Amino acid sequence: MKKIAAALLLASLSAAALATPETDGVMATLKQKYPNTTFTSIEASPLPGIYELTMGKNIAYTDKEGHYFLFGSLYDMEKRQDLTAPKRDAANKVDVSKLPLKDAIVRVKGKGTRKLYLFSDPDCPFCKQLESQALPQLDDVTIYTFMYPLDSLHPQARAKSEAIWCLPAKERGAAWDNLLTRGAQPPMKKCENPLAALATLGDSLGVRGTPTMFSEDGRILPGAADAARIDAWLNGAK
């Protein structure tokens, strides 16, 4: 977590270094014209007279007067490079230090030095694919699974998730694995559980489907990616 804090501090210092009297003036104009809009940061874009804005999780481009806004990607066609994508990815990172690990099913593979935060539904076919094909091939990773039943799609998923949670903590990982890979369902039980809180958390993080994964540095990877892609993605968090 110290690495994450250092990275956030570096990003903050970098943003401050990019500020100029010109961009400060544009920012002041924007805040005056649009007082209900949150402008996180601003910098000059490669296009003369156009400024790149970070607005929460959105990236936009505007003129000096803030009259016109463009949403989308700015491409450098000579380099064949999407200049907006890295900024958009950075804006969509989450602070994983705030994730409630006490509410997760924890599985450790190998030394477990890499961290993977997973939102998953026990009846989701793509989650089952992830559990049976990709995750068994990973090594040196601690997987924190947050049960995220999608009630509208899988009416029985919440009851199955609750049954898993009602088991002793040390048994939940194996039970989750058996449920998703073999269809072995534990006895249905009811107990106090974090499912409602996790539903609110997932929604606040922008989880729109399952499986959805987050890396240690807050990057998001939605869908049932294969093992090679997940492995490379996890290494990118270092």
Side-chain angles (χ1 to χ4, degrees), residues 124-136 180-181 211 223-226:
C124 160
F126 300 106
C127 299
K128 294 177 181 179
Q129 177 183 331
L130 180 74
E131 293 283 351
S132 62
Q133 298 180 22
L135 296 189
L180 271 75
T181 62
D226 61 32

Side-chain angles (χ1 to χ4, degrees), residues 20-142:
T20 66
E22 183 179 13
T23 56
D24 287 345
V26 177
M27 179 66 87
T29 299
L30 292 170
K31 289 182 176 180
Q32 182 180 13
K33 296 183 73 170
Y34 310 104
N36 296 323
T37 300
T38 300
F39 298 102
T40 310
S41 64
I42 184 173
E43 61 182 270
S45 81
L47 295 177
I50 300 299
Y51 301 87
E52 182 181 84
L53 298 170
T54 302
M55 304 159 61
K57 294 187 176 182
N58 295 315
I59 305 295
Y61 297 89
T62 187
D63 60 298
K64 188 174 183 179
E65 289 76 25
H67 185 74
Y68 299 100
F69 281 68
L70 293 173
F71 292 87
S73 288
L74 179 64
Y75 288 88
D76 184 328
M77 296 305 292
E78 290 185 358
K79 296 181 180 179
R80 298 184 180 276
Q81 182 180 3
D82 184 339
L83 301 179
T84 309
K87 305 291 183 65
R88 188 182 295 115
D89 291 343
N92 281 280
K93 284 186 177 183
V94 303
D95 183 358
V96 297
S97 68
K98 296 181 179 179
L99 293 177
L101 301 187
K102 63 181 178 59
D103 295 336
I105 297 172
V106 184
R107 292 170 288 173
V108 180
K109 299 171 68 65
K111 294 181 179 180
T113 57
R114 301 185 297 177
K115 311 300 180 187
L116 171 61
Y117 306 91
L118 168 65
F119 283 75
S120 187
D121 178 321
D123 283 343
C124 160
F126 300 106
C127 299
K128 294 177 181 179
Q129 177 183 331
L130 180 74
E131 293 283 351
S132 62
Q133 298 180 22
L135 296 189
Q137 299 182 53
L138 297 179
D139 192 20
D140 188 24
V141 59
T142 299

Side-chain angles (χ1 to χ4, degrees), residues 72 74 220-221:
L74 179 64
I220 186 171
L221 179 61

Side-chain angles (χ1 to χ4, degrees), residues 124-167:
C124 160
F126 300 106
C127 299
K128 294 177 181 179
Q129 177 183 331
L130 180 74
E131 293 283 351
S132 62
Q133 298 180 22
L135 296 189
Q137 299 182 53
L138 297 179
D139 192 20
D140 188 24
V141 59
T142 299
I143 304 171
Y144 298 94
T145 301
F146 298 96
M147 293 186 290
Y148 196 69
L150 302 175
D151 298 323
S152 61
L153 296 176
H154 309 127
Q156 303 302 317
R158 182 169 294 274
K160 293 177 181 178
S161 299
E162 185 171 2
I164 294 286
W165 191 258
C166 291
L167 294 171

